[in-house]
Amino acid sequence: MTDTRPVLPQPQRLRAGRAPSTPRRHVSPTLSLYFARHMLGSVGLVLGVVIGLVLVVDLIELLRRASGNGEADLVTLIGMALLKNPFQIQRIAPFAVLIGGLITFARLTRSNELVVARAAGVSVWQFMGPPLGVALLLGLFLIGIFNPLAALMSARYEALEARYIGGQSSLLSVGPGGLWLRERLDGQPIVIHATKMAAGGTDLGNVTIFRYDSNEVFEDRIDATRAQLTDDHWRLENAVISAPDEVPVTQSVLDQPTRMTREQILDSFANPETMSFWALPGFIAQLRDAGFSAVQHRLYWHSVLALPLLMVAMVITSAAFGLRFTRRGGAGVTIAGGVFTGFLLYFLTGVVYALGQSGGLPVVLAAWTPAGVATLFGIATLMHLEDG
């Protein structure tokens, strides 16, 4: 007689000391896009609000500074504020990601959407993937596309500032052909070119000086083997003065008056914020070949390069604070803690950068420390809260 009883599955024998494992779930593309859209919308909202506030503050400051200048009208000042705004966006973007991440995780937690995702077997590290991807892509976009545009607009802003508000225009430029210095002495333009530099631009070799009259008509040219900057003049050695339709005159020592100082020469380098991320390595190499320190430009370049990692760190930090709503409550305290952490990171970043510029820290360490510390802090806090 055949046994028709149903065959029941045999229970699996568990190894000693092991609990049955929970099957891992993969985040579906639809859910990933949903989380990414929430993150992108929150970051965009925060950026829009902060950019508007910064624009108003910059415009008020420009109105104050240009109050005694009749040439700068309101339209020009508004244009200057708009030109300065992209550089501000690059600076505030990491903190916009932090606040946007707090809003995103708080909203998804309060609506129990993350609770449902966890109940379905999705871990916190999985549903953080889409926000992390948004932050990483945003950081790469800022480096590769937005930064060159912001640098171009920042350079235009500095030119308008020097023209309408009295800022100092650059007296110096460095290129493959050497060093170029420009100044006006009693209304007469003077251009200095040198192929060898030392002592921070105050000791020049293979010097050529072009002198013009007040109408910018060429007067004469001075060639010298060496030029040293003193208090109020350049001391030229083995100088040869050549003027149109005249016999060249040679002098062993010649003093060329100037109002330049060593501090003005050092401050006249192109501001790193006015240079594209892609153009900075070549400019840094030119500075080194010219005998100048490129610490400021190297620090800025590495800080821009570390921007994607800093954005990722902001998302992890925002998750560490934003996912605590369901467990302990106190939304205001939690958000305030996240914002305070952001401002603390901003303060520490300024301190580390100052140490890097002064030589107290290596440039690479100073530039990457804020992003690295923020990433490790966020991961450690999130692991403590989620994994015990």
Side-chain angles (χ1 to χ4, degrees):
M1 186 173 181
T2 305
D3 188 1
T4 59
R5 289 177 300 176
V7 179
L8 298 177
Q10 295 297 325
Q12 296 180 353
R13 182 175 297 176
L14 299 178
R15 295 182 181 179
R18 289 193 179 183
S21 59
T22 302
R24 292 185 179 180
R25 303 287 184 180
H26 295 285
V27 183
S28 67
T30 302
L31 188 60
S32 298
L33 290 176
Y34 180 75
F35 288 156
R37 189 176 71 248
H38 269 281
M39 182 67 183
L40 192 60
S42 299
V43 173
L45 176 63
V46 174
L47 268 178
V49 172
V50 176
I51 289 171
L53 294 175
V54 171
L55 184 62
V56 172
V57 172
D58 286 341
L59 181 58
I60 293 175
E61 177 64 16
L62 289 173
L63 287 171
R64 183 192 66 82
R65 295 174 58 191
S67 58
N69 192 339
E71 296 183 4
D73 55 9
L74 181 61
V75 176
T76 301
L77 295 178
I78 292 176
M80 292 176 62
L82 291 173
L83 289 173
K84 187 179 180 181
N85 209 249
F87 171 68
Q88 304 288 359
I89 294 175
Q90 185 174 290
R91 297 183 63 181
I92 64 178
F95 305 98
V97 170
L98 174 64
I99 305 301
L102 284 172
I103 295 174
T104 298
F105 291 117
R107 183 188 301 167
L108 294 176
T109 302
R110 287 183 128 184
S111 62
N112 293 325
E113 292 173 272
L114 293 186
V115 176
V116 173
R118 289 180 178 181
V122 179
S123 70
V124 62
W125 305 104
Q126 288 177 304
F127 63 68
M128 276 182 56
L132 288 174
V134 169
L136 182 61
L137 290 177
L138 182 58
L140 295 175
F141 169 78
L142 289 177
I143 289 179
I145 300 176
F146 188 81
N147 177 267
L149 177 62
L152 183 64
M153 298 178 72
S154 182
R156 178 58 180 167
Y157 165 79
E158 289 194 354
L160 292 176
E161 182 186 28
R163 177 179 177 183
Y164 291 107
I165 306 183
Q168 180 179 352
S169 59
S170 179
L171 305 174
L172 177 149
S173 63
V174 179
L179 173 76
W180 292 88
L181 291 168
R182 297 174 297 275
E183 73 168 324
R184 279 187 174 271
L185 192 63
D186 298 329
Q188 298 180 346
I190 297 176
V191 179
I192 303 175
H193 175 252
T195 59
K196 296 180 180 180
M197 286 72 64
T202 59
D203 191 350
L204 309 178
N206 297 334
V207 183
T208 302
I209 300 178
F210 302 92
R211 299 190 292 191
Y212 301 82
D213 61 16
S214 57
N215 297 321
E216 299 189 358
V217 177
F218 176 74
E219 280 190 342
D220 57 20
R221 162 179 171 169
I222 304 176
D223 296 285
T225 58
R226 187 180 182 186
Q228 290 181 294
L229 181 64
T230 61
D231 293 337
D232 57 356
H233 64 270
W234 290 96
R235 175 62 56 87
L236 306 177
E237 299 179 2
N238 302 321
V240 178
I241 306 173
S242 304
D245 302 326
E246 295 184 10
V247 178
V249 178
T250 302
Q251 296 187 19
S252 58
V253 177
L254 176 65
D255 291 338
Q256 169 61 41
T258 184
R259 292 195 179 97
M260 293 183 186
T261 63
R262 184 178 185 275
E263 290 73 18
Q264 287 178 333
I265 293 177
L266 294 177
D267 292 341
S268 293
F269 282 109
N271 193 345
E273 287 85 3
T274 64
M275 302 191 66
S276 167
F277 171 82
W278 306 106
L280 270 173
F283 185 76
I284 291 171
Q286 292 177 1
L287 287 179
R288 287 176 172 176
D289 293 340
F292 289 97
S293 172
V295 171
Q296 181 182 3
H297 294 76
R298 290 180 59 221
L299 181 62
Y300 175 75
W301 187 81
H302 278 283
S303 65
V304 175
L305 187 62
L307 193 57
L309 179 61
L310 184 59
M311 302 283 245
V312 169
M314 293 295 100
V315 174
I316 299 175
T317 303
S318 65
F321 285 94
L323 295 176
R324 300 173 61 189
F325 285 114
T326 56
R327 296 186 176 183
R328 301 183 182 180
V333 176
T334 304
I335 292 179
V339 174
F340 174 77
T341 302
F343 280 108
L344 180 62
L345 177 63
Y346 181 80
F347 172 76
L348 293 178
T349 299
V351 173
V352 173
Y353 283 3
L355 291 174
Q357 289 184 353
S358 64
L361 284 177
V363 170
V364 177
L365 181 62
W368 287 88
T369 293
V373 170
T375 302
L376 295 177
F377 168 79
I379 292 176
T381 305
L382 196 58
M383 291 182 66
H384 173 71
L385 295 176
E386 297 299 321
D387 300 334

